[in-house]
Amino acid sequence: MSYNIALNFEDGITRFIRCNEGETVLDAAYRNQINLPMDCSDGVCGTCKGSCHQGKFDLGDEYIDEALTDDEAEQGMILTCQMVPASDCVVEIPVASTMCKTGIARVQGTVLEVNLVSPTAIELKVAAEDDIAFLPGQYVNIQVPGTEETRAYSFSSRPGSRELSFLIRNVPGGLMSSYLVGQCKAGDSLTLTGPMGSFYLRPVERPVLMLAGGTGLAPFLAMLEHLKVNGTGQPTHLIYGVTNDDDLVCIEALEQFAAGIENFSFKTVVASADSAHPLKGYVTNHMQDAPIHHGEVDVYLCGPPPMVDAVLGYFRDQGIKPNSFHYEKFSPSVSAVAGAVA
Ligand SMILES: Cc1cc2nc3c(=O)[nH]c(=O)nc-3n(C[C@H](O)[C@H](O)[C@H](O)COP(=O)(O)OP(=O)(O)OC[C@H]3O[C@@H](n4cnc5c(N)ncnc54)[C@H](O)[C@@H]3O)c2cc1C
Ligand code: FES
């Protein structure tokens, strides 16, 4: 028996390792050529401290209080030299990946399909040559063929498959957009680096509210694929907002999720005054019946920066403090702007 351990480094890079039954995370990482911070490896110095909020594990009982206090353990902190996983886990490592003599993984892929699914959105399907493990909601950087430039794209496909899909906004004149619309064809080779990002689905322990703007729907499709397999015992509601009627995409997929995932529901909202859509305005205009439960909710928000800022401002102005708030801005640059509001 072995477990899949995601090591999330401070610089946003995630590396996945297999950890054998009874093996510590530190030893498993070392076996996978990743040198996590350590000094004593005996639970004495505290150098290997990290945190784990996802998965089951044995904290160990041979460490001393100076290395890890009871309070820290209660808050989810761990010592990688002591922690023995008992399931798949996500472990936060509070240093950059480069400090651990590891870095970003590079995978080659072949374009399977590229489709203009609306005037403003492109669906890209890619077959990866190697396994590319990721957490639902994370993204990769894709190199624009013929250039040194990369662009960040969230996976819209389910983790665990080599068949990857992406939902990409068609930005007129944009470098990647122009390649995808004008030149890209089945068989083209692409270089992907990642996975990256701290915007991923946490264990579903209370109601979940998902707020998507435009192609910001992409990471939610991956999260819903995950929930389709793993289920959700909690009300999970998605509000998906776009500018114009024909920007609405993947509605059939969302209907299938609503039919296949117990407790999942969604609604769509169109901002344009000319729209014939029944729900007009912004996602924040349609949250009356969302499962906010006096803050007992985990909120996930993704879309273009102005939309994300507007929703963050709305929550602030209304004095709504969700249990957790995770967001990702689809910034035009390659640098990710992800965050969490406690
Ligand atoms: C973490 C992360 C994840 C992302 N995931 C996705 C995703 O799943 N799907 C997706 O569609 N995008 C995503 N993006 C945005 C994506 O990386 C690119 O920025 C976008 O696709 C534009 O690339 P381009 O090469 O076509 O245009 P560029 O050549 O980069 O831009 C051309 C011009 O258009 C402007 N521009 C770029 N994007 C926009 C925009 N959205 N609205 C208005 N003007 C713009 C630029 O400032 C520039 O002036 C993500 C960004 C980040 C940081
Ligand atoms: S390396 Fe010293 S406590 Fe883990």
Side-chain angles (χ1 to χ4, degrees):
M1 178 72 115
S2 65
Y3 303 110
N4 225 359
I5 309 300
L7 300 173
N8 280 347
F9 294 94
E10 206 179 48
D11 49 0
I13 288 174
T14 303
R15 294 300 310 266
F16 285 77
I17 55 168
R18 298 295 298 178
C19 190
N20 295 324
E21 184 93 46
E23 193 176 29
T24 66
V25 171
L26 184 72
D27 287 348
Y30 189 68
R31 199 169 39 73
N32 286 273
Q33 279 100 42
I34 299 174
N35 298 349
L36 295 182
M38 60 84 78
D39 194 357
C40 67
S41 85
D42 272 332
V44 174
C45 68
T47 309
C48 66
K49 202 178 291 176
S51 59
C52 178
H53 300 280
Q54 207 158 326
K56 295 191 191 109
F57 56 89
D58 182 350
L59 201 54
D61 51 16
E62 307 227 324
Y63 62 87
I64 62 169
D65 202 49
E66 281 71 16
L68 186 75
T69 65
D70 289 347
D71 278 355
E72 287 175 324
E74 201 135 291
Q75 288 162 25
M77 304 197 83
I78 50 91
L79 299 172
T80 61
C81 75
Q82 303 296 309
M83 171 184 171
V84 175
S87 75
D88 293 349
C89 291
V90 179
V91 181
E92 310 291 333
I93 306 293
V95 297
S97 58
T98 43
M99 300 269 294
C100 303
K101 299 215 170 54
T102 185
I104 201 158
R106 188 178 297 268
V107 174
Q108 286 305 122
T110 305
V111 174
L112 293 172
E113 278 180 47
V114 57
N115 304 308
L116 203 56
V117 288
S118 81
T120 52
I122 304 157
E123 179 192 55
L124 174 68
K125 292 191 173 170
V126 176
E129 284 176 14
D130 292 302
D131 290 338
I132 177 160
F134 59 92
L135 300 167
Q138 287 193 304
Y139 70 94
V140 279
N141 288 322
I142 304 183
Q143 190 170 355
V144 186
T147 77
E148 294 298 309
E149 297 274 328
T150 61
R151 296 289 182 267
Y153 294 108
S154 309
F155 296 95
S156 59
S157 47
R158 73 179 171 86
S161 168
R162 282 195 186 181
E163 197 174 310
L164 311 173
S165 66
F166 303 92
L167 184 64
I168 298 175
R169 184 184 155 129
N170 182 11
V171 176
L175 193 64
M176 182 63 101
S177 304
S178 302
Y179 159 73
L180 291 172
V181 171
Q183 300 164 44
C184 180
K185 58 185 182 324
D188 280 9
S189 188
L190 293 176
T191 303
L192 291 74
T193 43
M196 302 183 75
S198 56
F199 185 74
Y200 56 85
L201 185 68
R202 281 25 182 213
V204 179
E205 291 165 347
R206 58 186 64 75
V208 173
L209 177 62
M210 301 172 162
L211 302 171
T215 53
L217 180 66
F220 295 114
L221 296 173
M223 293 182 190
L224 292 168
E225 288 286 356
H226 173 83
L227 292 178
K228 194 170 79 181
V229 175
N230 297 281
T232 167
Q234 300 283 348
T236 300
H237 188 65
L238 166 76
I239 309 180
Y240 165 35
V242 296
T243 308
N244 297 301
D245 289 348
D246 57 9
D247 296 333
L248 282 174
V249 296
C250 302
I251 299 303
E252 211 173 300
L254 292 175
E255 280 165 356
Q256 282 171 11
F257 286 130
I261 306 173
E262 207 181 338
N263 288 319
F264 171 67
S265 57
F266 77 97
K267 66 166 80 100
T268 55
V269 181
V270 179
S272 167
D274 302 332
S275 166
H277 198 73
L279 298 183
K280 297 228 282 209
Y282 299 106
V283 295
T284 46
N285 300 128
H286 299 279
M287 297 207 331
Q288 311 84 333
D289 51 351
I292 294 183
H293 299 290
H294 308 291
E296 241 330 273
V297 60
D298 292 325
V299 179
Y300 294 82
L301 161 66
C302 181
M307 179 261 183
V308 172
D309 289 338
V311 177
L312 288 172
Y314 172 87
F315 272 79
R316 217 175 20 245
D317 295 347
Q318 299 292 312
I320 305 171
K321 285 211 177 88
N323 176 72
S324 74
F325 201 143
H326 310 274
Y327 64 87
E328 181 113 274
K329 293 183 183 178
F330 279 1
S331 309
S333 76
V334 290
S335 59
V337 182
V341 184

